[in-house]
């Protein structure tokens, strides 16, 4: 998995096609058919690292809202689930729970990438504690059962997501032990989210570079001022550092424990990169950066929204730091 | 480590062409050789003592052939490429051993010598690899810091010699170095980077005098070197006369990339040691987050510099983007040592324990990570100019 099997020319071509695909996608549109037309399944099978990173980077760049992340999770979960009756989505843990499904209890909370009505079934992961043993169970609910609990997100970002909260539906469709499928799914989703966050960062940084070169004050482009240049250079460093960690995370997917740790680290570093880059991109735009006259606010709020899914940077740092200080060894993650 | 070193099982040619086989053999050796304990958890009172001790480790690694991989046979090596060198540093650090101090400058000075002066490399590099001598890098001067091309130390051609006069400053390992690779002016004072030449000058040449300089920690990490009509044979030119800048730019690729990787392996070892030192005591709110963030920055440096090492090994030229590695390095180094200072609390300031003394000395050295080899500001300017392609800077 360490080698990229796609050559540079193919990669360029694919990037172009995926970019066009996102540009043409209507709001709330379904990515699936367009990807099928591109023969995406084949590309993803040949080189999952490059394909996933490319797809989610472009999604981040374009600020598109799709259910691509559901597909990433389901690729790991479907094999342990009964055959789907129609289309499926996955209920993501509520941000306060990080990448851990909420405890089994009378209430149910989480986030959906699209309203329940757009799919037939919803997979709900739940953490069960019995005799000190923690296990994850997967409940498959018919989508309409969750509809009364769903509310459109009214937050920082208008990604079209839906929060779910309320009394847990009493009779699940099916209940299946997840085994290691949930942790594998969460790791895969964290790698995808890291790519998407870095896609928003890349786009925002490019916009800032262009703006700084065009915008003139004191008779010259503001990009000639060192304070501006150095902020943008630091943004590049943060972006490239986080990209490096993400590529490393893809190189250790064969070892489940290492893969989980590295995926969380990639998500953490992407989360930190977006915090830094978005702060500087806004500053370089002046008033334009904080108003709806410009476009950068959309990257800021999307990156923030992506950051809190499946482990925000603060939560991940807290849990990884605690693990290292208390028990775990210190994993070098990146190999030569 | 004398005599008992069994040669690695697979033959040298296999190891030279197969870095992973080299890694496995090296790891087995480092994990089983009891005499290496001499270098574990050692704190040295002076820089001179440390580098001398490290040179002994280096000579042992040389006898076991381990530090010869990654260097060409003509220069005393056994073949292989940058990956072998990078693996050596990684495995030493993972095994709780220091990377021998002479290797730091070897990474910077060795590659340009091999590339631009193969005869000198054949003659002199084997001694370096054996730990018998180490060298310094004479670039900076009192008037030429960030603005390296302003340097004034002159070399005038006189028959078969250059006659060198002037001064170098802040030379790492300068107080104990046998030779100095110096960037000197052979063109006119105004020629900037066009009139420079690289010379390899013996420190015991008549007319060369060296004065140690203590870092704020009190350790003589640096030196200043004076040249008073020192005669240096013309065959000691590294590259062509007037071609010094080209050599310096080639050298900087290794200084920025290999040094970054090497430092990342050491940083990870030090983070592990810090964890062991503070693990038992109660930590404060926010310590876990800080620890994870520093760790993440070290891994980012590793990930990025590993890719750069692989590119160097494939023969590619690493351009201005190496400044990304350099800034990541500075972030990781300052972050790690600030973390140690915070977590050790009062002990950092007051304790006479050797581990505290070590962190204090290292903390001072870590402050240099945003200064030496091109400051963080200089690196950001390189990135703004050549990677982001922003319009050139003007002063307001
Ligand atoms: C521990 C250590 C080891 C060293 N080892 C060696 C060695 O082995 N060989 C060697 O030749 N040299 C060595 N040096 C010297 C080092 O390379 C120089 O210190 C460095 O190039 C900076 O030069 P300076 O110290 O004169 O700082 P200055 O150039 O005076 O810079 C001072 C400050 O001004 C800033 N500044 C300068 N120019 C600009 C600009 N254009 N834009 C924005 N900010 C600017 C700098 O970033 C810095 O913050 C070492 C230094 C240290 C600290």
């Amino acid at each position: 998995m360490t080698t990229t099997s796609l050559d540079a020319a193919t990669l360029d071509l694919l990037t172009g096609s995926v970019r066009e695909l996102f540009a043409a996608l209507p709001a709330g549109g379904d990515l699936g058919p367009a990807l099928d037309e591109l023969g995406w399944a084949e590309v993803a099978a040949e080189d999952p690292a490059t394909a996933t990173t490319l797809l989610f980077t472009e999604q981040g760049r374009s600020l598109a809202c799709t259910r691509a992340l559901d597909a990433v999770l389901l690729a790991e979960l479907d094999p342990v689930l009964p055959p789907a009756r129609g289309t499926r989505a996955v209920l993501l843990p509520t941000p306060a729970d990080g990448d851990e499904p909420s405890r089994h209890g009378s209430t149910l909370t989480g986030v959906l990438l699209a309203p329940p009505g757009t799919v037939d079934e919803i997979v709900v992961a739940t953490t069960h504690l019995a005799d000190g043993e923690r296990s994850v169970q997967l409940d498959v609910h018919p989508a309409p059962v969750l509809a009364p609990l769903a509310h459109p997100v009214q937050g920082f970002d208008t990604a079209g997501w839906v929060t779910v909260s309320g009394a847990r539906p009493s009779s699940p469709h099916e209940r299946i032990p997840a085994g290691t499928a949930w942790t594998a799914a969460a790791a895969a989703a964290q790698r995808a989210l890291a790519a998407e966050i870095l896609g928003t960062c890349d786009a925002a940084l490019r916009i800032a570079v262009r703006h700084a070169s065009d915008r003139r004050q004191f008779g010259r482009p503001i990009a000639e001022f060192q304070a501006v240049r150095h902020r943008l250079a630091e943004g590049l460093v943060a972006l490239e550092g986080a990209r490096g960690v993400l590529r490393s995370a893809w190189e250790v997917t064969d070892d489940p424990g290492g893969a989980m740790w590295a995926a969380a680290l990639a998500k953490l570093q992407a989360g930190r990169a977006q915090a830094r880059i978005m702060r500087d991109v806004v500053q370089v735009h002046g008033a334009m950066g904080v108003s709806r006259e410009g476009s950068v606010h959309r990257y800021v709020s999307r990156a923030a929204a992506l950051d809190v899914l499946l482990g925000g940077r603060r939560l991940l740092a807290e849990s990884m730091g605690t693990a290292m200080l208390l028990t775990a060894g210190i994993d070098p993650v990146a190999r030569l | 480590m004398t005599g008992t070193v069994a040669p690695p099982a697979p033959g040298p040619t296999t190891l030279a062409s197969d870095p992973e086989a080299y890694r496995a053999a090296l790891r087995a050796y480092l994990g089983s050789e009891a005499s290496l304990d001499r270098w574990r958890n050692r704190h040295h009172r002076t820089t001179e003592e440390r580098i001398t001790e490290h040179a002994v480790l280096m000579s042992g690694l040389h006898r076991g052939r381990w530090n010869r991989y990654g260097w060409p046979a003509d220069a005393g090596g056994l073949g292989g490429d940058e990956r072998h060198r990078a693996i050596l540093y990684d495995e030493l650090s993972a095994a709780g051993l220091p990377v021998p101090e002479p290797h730091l400058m070897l990474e910077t000075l060795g590659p340009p010598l091999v590339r631009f002066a193969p005869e000198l490399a054949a003659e002199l590099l084997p001694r370096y690899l054996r730990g018998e001598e180490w060298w310094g890098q004479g670039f900076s001067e009192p008037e030429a810091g960030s603005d390296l091309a302003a340097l004034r130390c002159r070399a005038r051609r006189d028959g078969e010699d250059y006659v060198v006069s002037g001064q170098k400053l802040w030379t790492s390992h300068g107080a104990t170095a046998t030779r100095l690779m110096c960037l000197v002016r052979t063109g006119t004072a105004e020629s900037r980077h066009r009139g420079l030449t690289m010379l390899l000058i013996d420190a015991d040449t008549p007319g060369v005098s060296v004065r140690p300089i203590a870092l704020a920690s009190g350790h003589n990490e640096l030196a200043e070197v004076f040249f008073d009509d020192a005669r240096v044979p013309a065959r000691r030119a590294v590259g062509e006369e007037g071609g010094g800048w080209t050599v310096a730019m080639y050298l900087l690729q290794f200084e920025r990339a290999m040094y970054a990787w090497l430092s990342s392996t050491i940083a990870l070892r030090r983070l592990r040691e810090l964890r062991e030192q503070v693990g038992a005591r109660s930590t404060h709110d926010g310590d876990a987050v800080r620890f994870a963030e520093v760790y993440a920055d070290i891994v980012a440096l590793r990930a990025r510099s590993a890719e750069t090492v692989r590119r160097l090994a494939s023969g590619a030229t690493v351009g201005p983007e190496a400044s990304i590695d350099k800034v990541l390095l500075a972030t990781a180094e300052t972050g790690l040592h600030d973390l140690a200072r915070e977590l050790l609390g009062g002990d950092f300031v007051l304790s006479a324990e050797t581990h505290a003394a070590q962190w204090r000395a290292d903390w001072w050295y870590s402050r240099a990570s945003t200064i030496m080899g091109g400051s963080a500001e200089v690196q950001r300017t390189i990135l703004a100019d050549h990677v982001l392609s922003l319009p050139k800077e003007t002063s307001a």
Side-chain angles (χ1 to χ4, degrees):
Chain A
M1 205 152 284
T2 42
T3 49
T4 295
S5 41
L6 297 169
D7 61 65
T10 315
L11 204 61
D12 275 355
L13 216 66
L14 274 175
T15 308
S17 314
V18 173
R19 198 167 289 182
E20 279 168 30
L21 187 159
F22 277 114
L25 194 72
D30 190 356
L31 203 55
L35 283 179
D36 289 346
E37 213 170 292
L38 263 182
W40 193 253
E42 247 171 76
V43 180
E46 192 181 332
D47 187 345
T50 309
T52 308
T53 301
L54 195 165
L55 185 69
F56 281 87
T57 300
E58 290 307 321
Q59 175 156 300
R61 274 207 188 104
S62 69
L63 298 175
C65 300
T66 73
R67 293 224 315 273
L69 194 67
D70 276 332
V72 169
L73 287 154
L74 287 168
E76 301 293 338
L77 299 178
D78 274 340
V80 301
L81 294 173
R85 302 179 180 87
T87 52
R88 258 179 193 163
V90 180
L91 183 70
L92 301 168
T94 201
D97 291 337
D99 54 2
E100 196 172 295
S102 60
R103 297 278 169 83
H104 185 68
S106 55
T107 58
L108 180 63
T109 56
V111 176
L112 288 170
L113 298 169
T118 54
V119 290
D120 301 307
E121 292 183 330
I122 295 173
V123 180
V124 177
T126 317
T127 302
H128 292 252
L129 282 172
D131 308 329
E133 286 289 312
R134 179 192 301 265
S135 67
V136 175
Q137 307 281 329
L138 300 172
D139 296 338
V140 183
H141 294 281
V145 174
L146 291 193
L149 313 183
H151 312 280
V153 169
Q154 309 251 320
F156 201 44
D157 185 59
T158 47
W161 301 343
V162 167
T163 54
V164 169
S165 102
R168 183 180 294 274
S170 53
S171 58
H173 205 65
E174 319 255 1
R175 171 165 294 173
I176 291 99
T180 57
W182 172 259
T183 46
Q190 284 174 331
R191 289 189 296 264
L193 282 165
E196 188 168 354
I197 291 170
L198 296 177
T200 64
C201 290
D202 184 281
L205 198 58
R206 279 167 202 258
I207 292 171
V209 163
R210 195 169 347 108
H211 175 78
S213 308
D214 293 345
R215 169 73 175 161
R216 297 176 72 86
Q217 285 293 282
F218 301 98
R220 66 192 69 140
I222 56 169
E224 291 185 13
F225 297 115
Q226 191 177 71
V228 172
R229 298 159 62 73
H230 284 188
R231 274 179 188 272
L232 296 174
E234 278 291 340
L236 175 71
V237 171
L239 176 61
E240 292 301 337
R243 278 178 170 164
V245 177
L246 176 56
R247 282 191 291 265
S248 295
W250 272 105
E251 286 175 9
V252 295
T253 49
D254 292 343
D255 154 36
M260 261 174 64
W261 179 264
L265 187 68
K267 174 92 186 353
L268 165 60
Q269 203 64 341
R272 295 175 69 210
Q274 66 81 27
R276 146 133 237 166
I277 290 168
M278 295 308 169
R279 182 173 66 226
D280 290 343
V281 163
V282 167
Q283 176 66 14
V284 163
H285 275 83
M288 199 54 96
V290 291
S291 78
R292 294 209 168 174
E293 295 298 300
S295 62
V296 296
H297 67 93
R298 299 176 59 216
Y299 296 88
V300 174
S301 44
R302 177 58 50 82
L306 294 168
D307 181 37
V308 302
L309 285 189
L310 287 165
R313 64 187 192 281
R314 180 92 200 162
L315 216 65
L316 288 173
E318 182 98 49
S319 65
M320 298 180 89
T322 305
M324 284 187 283
L325 281 172
L326 291 183
T327 48
I330 293 183
D331 185 342
V333 178
R335 314 281 156 85
L336 200 67
Chain B
M1 227 158 89
T2 38
T4 58
V5 179
T13 26
T14 327
L15 295 189
S17 60
D18 184 348
E20 283 311 311
Y22 168 73
R23 183 197 291 278
L26 173 62
R27 186 175 292 181
Y29 167 71
L30 296 176
S32 64
E33 179 58 50
S35 64
L36 292 171
D37 284 345
R38 169 174 166 185
W39 289 276
R40 287 194 172 93
N41 298 315
R42 268 295 289 283
H43 175 65
H44 303 287
R45 281 171 304 112
T46 66
T47 306
E48 294 81 353
E49 181 190 299
R50 183 180 68 228
I51 199 158
T52 308
E53 263 296 284
H54 282 196
V56 179
L57 171 59
M58 195 164 169
S59 75
L61 291 171
H62 186 272
R63 271 196 306 282
R65 306 143 95 80
W66 302 113
N67 76 342
R68 298 173 64 191
Y69 290 97
W71 298 99
D74 292 343
L78 292 171
D81 56 47
E82 282 78 2
R83 287 171 300 171
H84 290 81
R85 278 142 54 191
I87 286 169
L88 174 64
Y89 309 139
D90 201 20
E91 292 299 324
L92 283 169
S93 298
L97 287 161
V99 175
E101 198 95 336
H103 268 280
L104 272 63
M105 294 311 298
L106 176 61
E107 270 308 331
T108 302
L109 305 177
L113 196 73
V114 167
R115 170 85 164 72
F116 292 96
E119 320 77 52
L120 290 179
E123 183 190 334
L124 302 174
L125 217 53
R127 301 186 207 185
Y128 207 144
L129 286 168
R130 285 198 295 268
E132 290 168 6
E133 58 180 65
W134 48 91
W135 308 345
Q137 175 188 9
F139 281 25
S140 306
E141 296 179 9
E143 306 299 325
S146 297
D147 186 9
L148 182 59
L151 68 87
R152 298 203 298 218
C153 184
R154 281 207 61 83
R156 171 174 54 84
R157 185 66 185 253
D158 182 27
E160 289 304 294
D161 295 333
Y162 286 103
V163 181
V164 182
S165 52
Q167 183 189 348
K168 292 291 172 186
L169 188 60
W170 314 128
T171 311
S172 292
H173 302 170
T176 49
T178 304
R179 296 169 223 282
L180 304 160
M181 194 182 277
C182 294
L183 193 57
V184 295
R185 187 159 299 284
T186 42
T188 62
E190 304 75 44
S191 59
R192 297 280 297 171
H193 54 270
R194 289 180 310 280
L196 301 174
T197 301
M198 195 74 84
L199 293 180
L200 187 62
I201 304 175
D202 294 349
D204 62 3
T205 307
V208 176
S209 50
V210 177
R211 183 182 75 88
I213 295 179
L215 214 60
S217 59
H219 295 290
N220 290 333
E221 306 283 0
L222 308 170
E224 78 185 314
V225 185
F226 300 93
F227 301 92
D228 185 10
D229 286 340
R231 294 193 84 84
V232 178
R235 59 177 294 273
R236 285 299 192 83
V238 179
E240 289 171 11
E241 180 171 318
W245 193 257
T246 308
V247 180
M249 291 303 107
Y250 181 82
L251 173 150
L252 282 180
Q253 297 182 79
F254 294 86
E255 179 167 329
R256 290 186 182 147
M258 293 302 289
Y259 183 69
W261 167 264
L262 186 158
S263 304
S264 82
T265 72
I266 298 174
L268 210 56
R269 167 171 69 81
R270 293 294 280 151
L271 187 70
R272 272 200 312 272
E273 290 171 359
L274 178 65
R275 187 200 156 273
E276 279 154 27
Q277 287 155 9
V278 302
R281 69 178 85 185
S282 69
T283 49
H284 299 93
D285 273 2
D287 285 352
V289 169
R290 291 269 292 115
F291 195 92
E293 289 183 345
V294 166
Y295 163 74
D297 285 339
I298 295 173
V299 174
L301 170 66
R302 272 180 75 85
R304 170 78 191 183
S305 59
E307 289 174 0
T308 310
V309 169
R310 280 185 232 140
R311 284 175 57 209
L312 280 175
S314 75
T317 307
V318 177
E321 68 279 10
S323 293
I324 293 174
D325 306 39
K326 186 79 189 341
V327 179
L328 289 171
L329 167 61
T331 307
E333 288 266 297
T334 47
L336 170 64
H337 292 88
D338 285 341
L339 176 73
R341 184 175 159 169
E342 281 168 40
L343 295 192
L344 293 171
D347 280 359
F348 180 91
V349 184
L350 302 175
S351 168
E353 301 256 352
T354 53
H355 78 268
Q358 181 75 57
W359 279 113
R360 282 194 290 270
D362 289 356
W363 185 88
W364 274 115
Y365 203 87
S366 75
R367 300 303 99 176
S369 64
T370 50
I371 298 170
M372 60 182 173
S375 73
E377 287 73 29
V378 168
Q379 305 303 332
R380 291 189 198 112
T381 292
I382 293 172
L383 294 172
D385 283 346
H386 302 292
V387 182
L388 294 175
S389 306
L390 291 169
K392 291 276 187 295
E393 183 179 321
T394 49
S395 43

